[in-house]
Amino acid sequence: MNNTPFFLINTNKIDDLLSDMRRELESKWPKAIIGYSFKTNNLPWIIKYMKDKGVWAETVSSDEYNLALELGFSADKIIFNGPVKDKATFLYAVENNSVVNIDSKREINWVLELDEVKRALVKVGLRVNFCIEDYCPGESQCGSDDGRFGFSYENGELEEALSVLEKHGVKVSGLHLHCSSKTRSLYIYRAIAKIAAEISSKYALDLDYVDVGGGFFGGVVGKPSFKDYFEVIHAELSNCDRLKNTNVIIEPGMSLIGASVDYYTSVVDVKNTKNNHFVITDGSRTHIDPLMRKSAYTYHIEGGKDEAVDNQIICGFTCMEGDRFFKYDGKRLQEGDKIVFEKVGAYTMGLSPQFIEFYPAVYAAIGDEIVEARPKVDAKKFVNINK
Ligand SMILES: Cc1ncc(COP(=O)(O)O)c(C=O)c1O
């Protein structure tokens, strides 16, 4: 584990977060389902780790669905969401008892093409589109431009979907209401639960589950806890006669894996220019901030000389000038010092490009033991993947 850069998964952290989440969730809904959001970090080692802990798979494409099968999930432990499922995988999932949340009209048509006997046997969920901005002003990701997933509650498309399915004898067994937000606040989940209650009452739905999606904070000081989230959701759902005994599904990603992964880099050079003082590392923003949006990092430094230097610009290895992490006023950094970026497990590895350097290694700490979760991709592997 000497060759930086690499990621290090802290399995103790995953275990703590998962057991806290599970305890709080099951205290409200004893049969609640936790589906790990593959998109948040799709490293097979991490997915298998979650599976071994009894977590289901939450997938949003046919590739992700097939990855779940490949990694040994049985179909009835896979949640299948997303607008771009292919027909064959969709029908396989529906007929093999996956939790399938329909997101588009063509999926409805595919179910309606089944013969009457099959239609009577299958169950599907519907993804609800509603204007979260009306309930939580300033908190939603799209504002008044609306999110694009699911069937609109407000304009009647949801009602139409429900009635077409009912008319053809297809049981709608669940509602899926994930909303990505800027704030991950309790208000978002109160609104989700409120809308679920309103819809199930208005259309007299007899649901097996309400899927509230992901988007939670996980173990972040000063932010809502799992207990806070589930209390808010429970307060709304238990107030609704139709949902009192309905099961709940959650789809955590960030809240389980975000804080559980660190990224280790080393200083390879320090150079002064006319106006600046650069610290070049063997890491890159492309690995931990692939969308180049972060304005701050949580990190610690191993090494450095006591003498302090202002304005040390910590940079990555790529040729992009924008590959600069942050400005550091502190101990003078020098070749060989380590900069460890913390809490970088979510939306990093899965979004990373193979740009200039191929994928770095990933290790996992299990107690005192370190195992390799993914070897570094070398030139040979890179050629094999791409031929
Ligand atoms: C449908 C769905 N479920 C779950 C998640 C996971 O969210 P997070 O990683 O923020 O927990 C997402 C993320 O966008 C999502 O779209």
Side-chain angles (χ1 to χ4, degrees):
M1 230 183 53
N2 289 324
N3 287 341
T4 51
F6 61 82
F7 287 98
L8 180 63
I9 304 163
N10 179 350
T11 60
N12 279 343
K13 186 80 194 168
I14 300 179
D15 294 352
D16 288 350
L17 289 165
L18 184 58
S19 64
D20 184 27
M21 173 184 283
R22 193 171 256 150
R23 187 184 58 248
E24 295 303 335
L25 190 65
E26 291 180 354
S27 74
K28 305 276 185 294
W29 302 276
K31 294 192 168 160
I33 294 164
I34 301 177
Y36 172 64
S37 159
F38 277 27
K39 76 188 83 55
T40 310
N41 190 320
N42 61 10
L43 191 76
W45 194 95
I46 292 176
I47 293 174
K48 273 196 252 163
Y49 190 83
M50 299 292 179
K51 177 176 176 290
D52 291 346
K53 300 271 158 185
V55 172
W56 290 29
E58 189 268 325
T59 64
V60 289
S61 68
S62 297
D63 278 349
E64 284 192 357
Y65 187 91
N66 289 320
L67 175 61
L69 292 179
E70 184 68 28
L71 293 174
F73 286 89
S74 59
D76 64 354
K77 300 273 185 296
I78 306 176
I79 302 157
F80 197 15
N81 297 325
V84 291
K85 310 170 180 91
D86 72 46
K87 186 173 181 179
T89 314
F90 173 85
L91 290 174
Y92 176 90
V94 166
E95 292 184 47
N96 287 277
N97 301 320
S98 296
V99 173
V100 180
N101 292 310
I102 288 182
D103 198 303
S104 61
K105 295 193 191 68
R106 68 178 190 161
E107 293 170 27
I108 294 184
N109 293 332
W110 293 338
V111 179
L112 300 189
E113 284 169 18
L114 294 172
D115 65 40
E116 206 175 323
V117 178
K118 279 189 178 160
R119 284 205 306 268
L121 289 175
V122 300
K123 289 176 170 187
V124 293
L126 280 179
R127 172 112 182 219
V128 177
N129 181 302
F130 71 101
C131 187
I132 186 79
E133 189 66 16
D134 286 351
Y135 297 83
C136 309
E139 294 195 42
S140 70
Q141 279 197 339
C142 304
S144 53
D145 284 342
D146 294 343
R148 72 178 190 281
F149 302 107
F151 296 86
S152 171
Y153 173 43
E154 288 94 349
N155 76 359
E157 287 207 358
L158 180 73
E159 184 173 323
E160 175 67 15
L162 286 166
S163 83
V164 168
L165 289 165
E166 190 190 332
K167 192 168 127 204
H168 290 86
V170 180
K171 164 93 179 137
V172 173
S173 60
L175 295 178
H176 180 237
L177 302 106
H178 171 89
C179 282
S180 294
S181 72
K182 291 192 262 196
T183 56
R184 299 177 181 262
S185 81
L186 296 176
Y187 301 114
I188 297 286
Y189 296 89
R190 177 171 296 147
I192 286 175
K194 233 185 220 318
I195 291 288
E198 199 175 304
I199 292 172
S200 60
S201 304
K202 183 166 176 187
Y203 300 113
L205 301 178
D206 180 19
L207 299 178
D208 294 340
Y209 67 87
V210 170
D211 184 336
V212 298
F216 310 103
F217 281 112
V220 182
V221 179
K223 300 293 183 188
S225 65
F226 296 131
K227 185 168 191 281
D228 298 332
Y229 285 119
F230 304 145
E231 270 175 6
V232 161
I233 297 166
H234 189 257
E236 294 295 333
L237 298 188
S238 59
N239 236 340
C240 168
D241 280 343
R242 291 209 158 260
L243 296 180
K244 261 196 199 119
N245 301 312
T246 301
N247 203 11
V248 158
I249 298 178
I250 62 168
E251 303 171 349
M254 167 87 96
S255 55
L256 288 179
I257 201 64
S260 307
V261 178
D262 295 338
Y263 176 67
Y264 285 68
T265 67
S266 303
V267 175
V268 296
D269 195 16
V270 171
K271 57 173 67 161
N272 296 317
T273 57
K274 180 173 163 233
N275 298 307
N276 235 328
H277 182 85
F278 293 109
V279 175
I280 317 294
T281 71
D282 57 8
S284 171
R285 279 180 80 179
T286 58
H287 289 166
I288 59 166
D289 181 20
L291 302 179
M292 296 283 192
R293 279 192 194 144
K294 280 190 186 166
S295 54
Y297 296 86
T298 308
Y299 64 89
H300 68 267
I301 287 179
E302 295 175 2
K305 279 216 181 310
D306 283 340
E307 166 206 0
V309 177
D310 283 349
N311 287 329
Q312 302 180 70
I313 315 288
I314 316 297
C315 303
F317 65 72
T318 70
C319 61
M320 296 187 296
E321 284 293 7
D323 194 0
R324 302 174 184 204
F325 292 101
F326 60 93
K327 199 179 269 189
Y328 175 63
D329 298 338
K331 292 197 274 188
R332 176 188 287 279
L333 296 174
Q334 54 189 353
E335 188 181 336
D337 291 343
K338 296 243 175 340
I339 302 171
V340 182
F341 295 86
E342 298 161 7
K343 305 179 198 284
V344 292
Y347 305 103
T348 49
M349 292 178 211
L351 280 168
S352 256
Q354 303 241 37
F355 181 56
I356 298 185
E357 286 280 330
F358 310 133
Y359 289 155
V362 183
Y363 298 98
I366 307 174
D368 292 337
E369 202 195 341
I370 302 285
V371 300
E372 192 177 60
R374 175 183 73 191
K376 178 183 165 28
V377 172
D378 58 13
K380 212 185 199 69
K381 274 206 193 84
F382 185 75
V383 170
N384 275 331
I385 296 166
N386 287 289
K387 70 182 180 199

